[in-house]
Amino acid sequence: MGEVQVLGSWGSPYSRRVEMALKLKGVEYEFIEQDLANKSPLLLKYNPIHQKVPVLVHNGQAIAESVVILEYIDETWKGYPLLPQDPYGRARARFWAKFIDDKCYTAIWQTVWIKERKEREKAIEEASHHLKTLENELRDNKFFGGETIGLVDIVSNFFSFWPDIVQEAAGVEIVTEERFPFLCKWKIEFTSCSAIKENLPDRDKLLAYLKAQFTRSAWKY
Amino acid sequence: MGEVQVLGSWGSPYSRRVEMALKLKGVEYEFIEQDLANKSPLLLKYNPIHQKVPVLVHNGQAIAESVVILEYIDETWKGYPLLPQDPYGRARARFWAKFIDDKCYTAIWQTVWIKERKEREKAIEEASHHLKTLENELRDNKFFGGETIGLVDIVSNFFSFWPDIVQEAAGVEIVTEERFPFLCKWKIEFTSCSAIKENLPDRDKLLAYLKAQFTRSAWKY
């Protein structure tokens, strides 16, 4: 099926989405690490509008935006379906992917970057509210995709690994087992899949990176 | 293909997207107007998470989020394709739909609601920048979808009708023929299609509504 390249960044959950999907599909690819502080001519050529990772390049044609890339992967390599076959199931998956990106991610990052204590508490409350909504959708299903990992699970990859490290780096505790038992159960199932496990960043490297980020922003509790 | 209902609001370009797609597909539907200041039990039942319009209800199954609905419509009723057949073409359409919602709409509404002059000028500049990017994609093609109206055209419906009225109601001039000749040419082509023309709000009613909104917000130049 031709040459596949991923322009990504090792610590980005968005980049990891693309790699996880390709691994699940059994597609070989070349990963090209991008320095986001010093954008490469390749990144500017292939994603001139957003200049962000990830970008998938397939036979020289570039696609940006991680969820758009996941849909492309699912339509191009049929082996392991990421979306259900029926239109209603597909619509529900797309709804939750959008919910995670628009609501959950935005709210969670705010809890980390907002400096003022009261504002931060409000952000934590908002993030918890959205995560509870997400957890209600998951309930005691093995995966968002049912019995197998699907698009919504991949979009949720952040919750399987990053929060613990963000917590250690920044002191914000959100995704606890007490508050989100189903999400924490899902995390164990999700990361026990080899295509996922092999695509998580190095823990110590990510912790050091995030600590440096938070220090640089002169952000203190 | 069963019973189809649209929960929508007459002045909302997001609602109108759903109606335009159904009209292009030749699907009969019942439109149920929603009062967004006083949300109906039906809306709360069918879109409990966002409590927003539009919602498509097909044989009792509800779908929210306008672009998710458009994909569902395209997968359910095959008659008039809204997306290209090839995965790369589909990915490009999804990329632009997301660009319009995330960048163009947000920036344009900011030009109207921001009160402080300098901030507003910055917002106008940002909106113009995004619209120029969008116009470069359109260039001198008849439609974003090529020779026929497709998903990106429907997502762009706002630019075919609303800006002139927003301008009259709020005094912000952005989408002029001088600055955006291709977008203005597209507007004429787009609104000359009967499935589109019949699905635009009443001009005077929308103008009065927007004027009242802007006055209520005590927003002044």
Side-chain angles (χ1 to χ4, degrees):
Chain A
M1 289 294 285
E3 195 177 285
V4 180
Q5 295 167 314
V6 178
L7 277 58
S9 174
W10 64 273
S12 156
Y14 300 97
S15 281
R16 296 288 176 174
R17 290 175 178 178
V18 176
E19 291 193 82
M20 287 171 181
L22 291 171
K23 287 267 188 223
L24 284 168
K25 293 273 188 186
V27 176
E28 297 282 326
Y29 63 93
E30 179 194 2
F31 182 80
I32 307 172
E33 177 71 28
Q34 298 298 305
D35 176 2
L36 297 178
N38 182 20
K39 294 176 179 179
S40 73
L42 206 64
L43 181 64
L44 300 181
K45 173 186 168 188
Y46 282 132
N47 190 4
I49 293 170
H50 298 303
Q51 306 180 3
K52 285 192 314 185
V53 295
V55 180
L56 181 82
V57 187
H58 184 206
N59 293 330
Q61 288 186 313
I63 302 145
E65 296 286 0
S66 67
V67 178
V68 174
I69 296 171
L70 294 182
E71 294 242 24
Y72 176 84
I73 290 172
D74 205 34
E75 290 177 350
T76 303
W77 295 280
K78 302 290 182 190
Y80 177 107
L82 302 179
L83 281 169
Q85 291 308 299
D86 66 297
Y88 185 66
R90 297 165 73 82
R92 285 191 64 82
R94 289 181 180 127
F95 174 89
W96 286 109
K98 188 167 165 54
F99 179 81
I100 291 162
D101 272 354
D102 290 357
K103 300 290 179 183
C104 300
Y105 271 30
T106 310
I108 283 209
W109 283 114
Q110 276 188 333
T111 67
V112 178
W113 294 110
I114 286 176
K115 293 182 183 90
E116 201 273 315
R117 184 171 294 272
K118 233 176 174 169
E119 284 297 309
R120 184 158 38 89
E121 274 165 18
K122 228 174 88 182
I124 291 174
E125 203 178 302
E126 197 193 328
S128 299
H129 171 74
H130 293 317
L131 285 177
K132 192 44 85 183
T133 302
L134 185 66
E135 197 178 68
N136 285 343
E137 169 64 11
L138 180 65
R139 283 185 299 263
D140 51 1
N141 291 315
K142 193 168 173 186
F143 298 115
F144 289 100
E147 278 307 299
T148 54
I149 291 170
L151 183 129
V152 182
D153 296 283
I154 295 174
V155 171
S156 302
N157 70 353
F158 175 87
F159 305 115
S160 73
F161 185 76
W162 279 258
D164 288 355
I165 300 167
V166 169
Q167 182 189 328
E168 201 172 328
V172 178
E173 191 182 46
I174 298 175
V175 190
T176 62
E177 211 178 321
E178 198 178 41
R179 274 190 278 184
F180 301 104
F182 294 134
L183 213 50
C184 289
K185 210 176 122 218
W186 165 86
K187 180 169 97 170
I188 295 165
E189 296 280 5
F190 183 67
T191 54
S192 70
C193 166
S194 65
I196 304 302
K197 200 162 38 187
E198 289 161 13
N199 266 301
L200 294 171
D202 180 86
R203 200 186 188 286
D204 293 342
K205 192 176 167 191
L206 186 61
L207 181 61
Y209 171 79
L210 287 176
K211 270 189 176 167
Q213 288 287 315
F214 298 146
T215 309
R216 222 190 330 271
S217 80
W219 172 83
K220 292 273 179 294
Y221 278 98
Chain B
M1 289 295 286
E3 196 176 284
V4 180
Q5 294 167 315
V6 177
L7 277 58
S9 174
W10 64 272
S12 157
Y14 300 97
S15 283
R16 296 287 176 175
R17 290 176 177 177
V18 176
E19 291 193 82
M20 285 170 182
L22 290 171
K23 287 267 187 223
L24 284 168
K25 293 272 187 186
V27 177
E28 296 283 325
Y29 63 92
E30 179 193 3
F31 182 80
I32 307 172
E33 176 71 27
Q34 299 297 305
D35 176 2
L36 297 178
N38 182 20
K39 293 175 179 177
S40 73
L42 206 64
L43 182 63
L44 300 181
K45 174 185 169 189
Y46 283 133
N47 190 4
I49 293 170
H50 298 303
Q51 305 179 6
K52 288 191 311 186
V53 295
V55 181
L56 181 83
V57 187
H58 183 207
N59 293 328
Q61 290 186 312
I63 301 145
E65 296 285 2
S66 67
V67 178
V68 175
I69 297 172
L70 294 182
E71 294 242 23
Y72 176 84
I73 289 172
D74 205 33
E75 290 178 350
T76 303
W77 294 280
K78 303 291 183 188
Y80 177 107
L82 302 179
L83 281 170
Q85 292 307 300
D86 66 298
Y88 184 67
R90 296 164 74 83
R92 286 191 63 84
R94 289 180 180 126
F95 173 89
W96 286 109
K98 187 166 166 56
F99 178 81
I100 291 162
D101 273 353
D102 291 358
K103 300 290 180 183
C104 301
Y105 271 29
T106 310
I108 282 209
W109 283 113
Q110 276 188 334
T111 67
V112 177
W113 294 109
I114 287 176
K115 294 180 182 94
E116 201 274 316
R117 184 174 293 271
K118 232 177 177 168
E119 284 298 307
R120 185 157 38 89
E121 274 166 18
K122 229 174 88 183
I124 291 174
E125 202 178 302
E126 196 192 329
S128 299
H129 171 72
H130 292 318
L131 285 177
K132 191 45 84 183
T133 303
L134 184 68
E135 197 179 68
N136 284 344
E137 169 64 12
L138 180 65
R139 282 185 300 260
D140 51 1
N141 291 315
K142 193 167 173 187
F143 298 114
F144 290 99
E147 277 307 299
T148 54
I149 290 170
L151 183 129
V152 181
D153 297 284
I154 295 174
V155 171
S156 303
N157 70 353
F158 176 86
F159 305 114
S160 73
F161 184 76
W162 279 258
D164 287 355
I165 300 167
V166 169
Q167 181 190 327
E168 200 172 329
V172 179
E173 192 182 45
I174 298 176
V175 190
T176 61
E177 210 178 322
E178 200 178 39
R179 273 189 281 184
F180 301 104
F182 294 134
L183 214 49
C184 289
K185 210 176 123 217
W186 165 85
K187 181 169 99 170
I188 295 165
E189 295 282 4
F190 184 67
T191 54
S192 70
C193 166
S194 66
I196 304 303
K197 198 161 42 188
E198 289 161 15
N199 266 300
L200 294 171
D202 180 88
R203 201 186 187 285
D204 293 341
K205 191 176 167 190
L206 186 62
L207 180 61
Y209 172 79
L210 287 177
K211 271 189 176 165
Q213 288 287 316
F214 297 146
T215 309
R216 221 187 335 269
S217 79
W219 172 83
K220 293 272 180 295
Y221 280 98

